[in-house]
Amino acid sequence: MPQDHRETISAMKAEIPRLRRFARYMARDADYADDLVQECLARAIANIASWQPGTNLRAWLFVILKNVFRNDKRRAQHDIAYRSRLEQDAPAYSGADQHRHLVLSEVQDAFQRLTDDHREVLMLIAVEGLRYEEAAEVLNISVGTVKSRLSRARSALRALVDFHDPDPGAETV
């Protein structure tokens, strides 16, 4: 194996945590997400010659991961049943005095109520820390569209969280 391929594979290993996080976001199931990441890396290694050194490896891997997920989703056609099963199995949080858990639960609920486009752009930029250009490449849209979606996603999330705020006089962070 050529030395530059070894270096690329080493760099791929460093991206595994980010790939797993993005896969878990898309799949909403840890085991399924791990399968997606494994398939992504297998495809990346099989097509390593098509990656051009000097370009963004993370964005290339995210595109592969996203395509693996979408192809799998289309092939299996199980997404609706899968989401329904997750919603039924979702743990119920008690109100108790654990304010942080309630806030987190509200934010998670609000996040899930966003459109797929809004959740996707928030995950890539706010959670994964991709630059606008990288997110645009992953999503196959323009940088302007990324910025617009991100702005609308943040506004929508803020509105959803504020709408459910049990203490409207409290300061928001």
Side-chain angles (χ1 to χ4, degrees), residues 6-146:
R6 287 190 187 117
E7 291 170 7
T8 303
I9 290 172
S10 179
M12 284 182 193
K13 288 178 186 177
E15 296 299 327
I16 290 174
R18 290 178 182 92
L19 291 169
R20 289 183 75 209
R21 200 169 31 241
F22 189 50
R24 284 182 181 197
Y25 151 73
M26 288 189 300
R28 296 178 178 84
D29 177 88
D31 292 333
Y32 181 46
D34 287 342
D35 291 344
L36 290 171
V37 171
Q38 182 177 355
E39 180 63 23
C40 168
L41 292 171
R43 289 185 187 189
I45 291 169
N47 295 297
I48 201 165
S50 69
W51 181 72
Q52 297 180 9
T55 61
N56 189 323
L57 179 64
R58 181 181 301 161
W60 185 66
L61 291 170
F62 273 39
V63 168
I64 294 171
L65 179 63
K66 188 174 176 181
N67 288 338
V68 167
F69 175 71
R70 285 185 173 169
N71 290 341
D72 192 42
K73 186 175 162 183
R74 266 193 299 272
R75 191 174 32 250
Q77 296 184 3
H78 72 285
D79 188 58
I80 294 172
Y82 181 75
R83 288 182 191 212
S84 295
R85 189 172 74 243
L86 281 181
E87 289 172 5
Q88 291 170 356
D89 295 342
Y93 294 101
S94 65
D97 62 346
Q98 299 169 339
H99 180 69
R100 285 181 280 183
H101 291 292
L102 287 174
V103 171
L104 179 59
S105 179
E106 285 180 33
V107 172
Q108 286 174 328
D109 290 343
F111 184 80
Q112 291 304 320
R113 292 177 61 199
L114 295 174
T115 66
D116 287 341
D117 288 342
H118 287 169
R119 283 194 311 262
E120 215 167 42
V121 76
L122 277 172
M123 274 299 295
L124 291 173
I125 293 176
V127 177
E128 294 303 328
L130 266 64
R131 294 187 334 261
Y132 294 141
E133 296 80 10
E134 295 169 332
E137 187 178 332
V138 169
L139 298 172
N140 196 27
I141 57 177
S142 73
V143 172
T145 302
V146 167

